[in-house]
Amino acid sequence: MSFIKVHTKNYLVMHGYDHHNREVLEKIEVEQASEKLIAVHRIQSITEKFIFTTATHGRFIYWEYEDDYQTLVKTLKEQGILIN
């Protein structure tokens, strides 16, 4: 199993959708960033602000990360995980 190391801070947990088909989000704010290993197979997408991952019980998590987007992309390429 492959992992990437990132520094995460605040995150959003998506619990599903309401009866109007809007995401049900729980916002978690933390005092300081922490280093986290994220299993690559859980990653759905990466933007310049969030890493969107699957979680347990049908939930998804939007991780806010502090690392540089281009460095993250470079790391994934070097590990052979990202294909252009």
Side-chain angles (χ1 to χ4, degrees), residues 13-62:
V13 179
M14 188 182 83
H15 294 279
Y17 296 91
D18 68 11
H19 60 283
H20 294 292
N21 206 31
R22 290 181 296 226
E23 292 177 327
V24 176
L25 296 172
E26 174 185 4
K27 186 173 186 175
I28 310 297
E29 294 184 0
V30 297
E31 294 275 327
Q32 62 185 24
S34 62
E35 191 172 82
K36 179 172 188 60
L37 294 176
I38 296 178
V40 173
H41 75 275
R42 291 188 176 269
I43 296 173
Q44 300 299 301
S45 69
I46 299 174
T47 67
E48 291 182 357
K49 185 174 180 179
F50 292 106
I51 299 174
F52 181 56
T53 65
T54 59
T56 57
H57 307 292
R59 294 184 181 108
F60 295 91
I61 301 177
Y62 294 91

